[in-house]
Amino acid sequence: MKKLGLLPKLVLGILAGILFGKIGFIPLVRLFATFNGLFGNFLGFIIPLMIISFVAPGIADLGKKANNLLLSTAALAYISTIFAGLMAYFSGKALLPMVVKNFQLTSKEAVSISPYFSIEIPQIMGIMSALILAFILGLGIANTAEKEKTLLNFLKDFQKIIEKVITFVIIPLIPVHISGIFARITAEGNLVSTIKSFSGIFFMILILQVVYILIQYTVACSYSKKPYFTSIKNLLPAYFTAIGTQSSAATIPVSIECSRANKIDEDIIDFVVPLCATIHLAGDTITLVLGSMGLLIATGVDPDFALMFPYILMLGVTMIAAPGIPGGGVMAALGLLENMLSLGQNQLALMIALHFSQDSFGTATNVTGDGAIAIIINEKVKRTSATKSNKNTSS
């Protein structure tokens, strides 16, 4: 097994999980559920530490140009999220009236698989707190005198510790974690029942998410001149990891490795990948736009542009409040769904069900898109450095 790469292990984990769930041996599935609970809590604990250990030194190493890089990355992530929402809107406007013609607002009660026991591992701080702290530390160090390296050295040592935890604990256990998730989903039957209720919208969402990945890499590879298919292939381990973890933040270690395969500078990877895992949720946006439009059409409401565009703009901001939590995108958007689109409690419950049924694929779209943004930012930094170098040479 050691000789197998991460991608084959992930595929085997998915297939094994489905098999165990199909067999229906509940004690084994509960054992997996117990492991997943413990492992998930540990991931939740380590994620803020990952963000601090990668983002802060990454910003600091970039020096004063980090100020502009932070703005560029955040702006690009927001633009990408809004574009994904608009693509979903126009596709939904054209196709959803046919897809939801016989839409049934029904759901099926599933059997719950509970763990044998659970242990709570509270986070030292919240995800957003960690992100803001990383910004403050990184930008502060980047704008401090060169000789004052004490804090930077501490952060780099801390980064090495977190890297060892990732390399020797998290990555080896991720295939087991994914196997357990698929075993539980299969045994409970939640995914199948939800797909039956929302099949048309579900498949539209999946198709649009794949199309959007292809669009992102078309732009990124055209801009950077990197090989198109190779760049996408290198991100497949992150894509499949995200399908299992349902968490962009939990997939950060694998996303970092995949971005290295695309020959992106280490400083850019350490900065862009953890940052985008928190602020770039284009896959969730596609789901939340198409799903809400489907529910509106099913109840006789026309989701026109005047109604949906402000909602899409707000989604781009609200998604920042949904980091690292499976299903966090829809939870963060519930206020918008209720206040801006006037969805009732039953519709909100169905929206949650739809979102959770495809959350794995939406997360996979998020993290794969992060790799495209990293390519663009890396190329932008290279071109900026080359321009400055040429100016200095001319002078």
Side-chain angles (χ1 to χ4, degrees), residues 115-303:
Y116 287 111
F117 64 91
S118 61
I119 299 175
E120 294 296 324
I121 309 176
Q123 293 179 338
I124 291 176
M125 66 181 71
I127 300 291
M128 287 303 295
S129 297
L131 192 62
I132 296 300
L133 179 59
F135 288 165
I136 292 171
L137 290 173
L139 292 172
I141 295 170
N143 290 276
T144 302
E146 287 279 333
K147 60 182 180 181
E148 297 181 24
K149 296 285 188 180
T150 304
L151 186 54
L152 178 59
N153 290 335
F154 167 78
L155 289 171
K156 287 188 172 181
D157 288 341
F158 182 53
Q159 185 182 64
K160 290 176 183 177
I161 294 171
I162 298 300
E163 282 179 345
K164 288 185 181 295
V165 173
I166 291 168
T167 302
F168 297 108
V169 179
I170 294 178
I171 289 182
L173 291 177
I174 279 178
V176 183
H177 183 51
I178 289 174
S179 185
I181 289 172
F182 274 84
R184 190 201 72 232
I185 290 174
T186 306
E188 289 182 347
N190 288 339
L191 184 61
V192 173
S193 63
T194 308
I195 289 176
K196 284 182 179 178
S197 298
F198 303 97
S199 57
I201 299 176
F202 181 86
F203 286 112
M204 269 193 71
I205 288 169
L206 297 191
I207 291 168
L208 278 183
Q209 287 172 344
V210 172
V211 168
Y212 192 58
I213 290 173
L214 299 178
I215 291 173
Q216 287 175 302
Y217 277 86
T218 298
V219 174
C221 293
S222 298
Y223 180 64
S224 66
K225 309 302 180 186
K226 287 186 179 293
Y228 181 73
F229 292 106
T230 301
S231 297
I232 294 177
K233 179 179 72 69
N234 287 338
L235 263 293
L236 287 181
Y239 184 91
F240 284 101
T241 299
I243 285 177
T245 63
Q246 296 182 308
S247 168
S248 297
T251 311
I252 287 173
V254 182
S255 300
I256 287 172
E257 290 298 320
C258 293
S259 293
R260 284 174 180 153
N262 276 335
K263 298 179 180 178
I264 297 171
D265 293 345
E266 199 69 27
D267 290 345
I268 301 297
I269 292 173
D270 289 348
F271 171 66
V272 173
V273 171
L275 175 59
C276 285
T278 303
I279 67 173
H280 182 229
L281 291 100
D284 289 73
T285 302
I286 289 171
T287 304
L288 290 165
V289 171
L290 269 181
S292 59
M293 288 178 70
L295 289 172
L296 289 171
I297 292 172
T299 52
V301 178
D302 177 26

Side-chain angles (χ1 to χ4, degrees), residues 42-52 123 127 130 247 249-250 252 324:
F42 179 70
L43 275 179
F45 171 80
I46 207 75
I47 285 168
L49 305 182
M50 278 189 212
I51 290 173
I52 294 171
Q123 293 179 338
I127 300 291
S247 168
I252 287 173

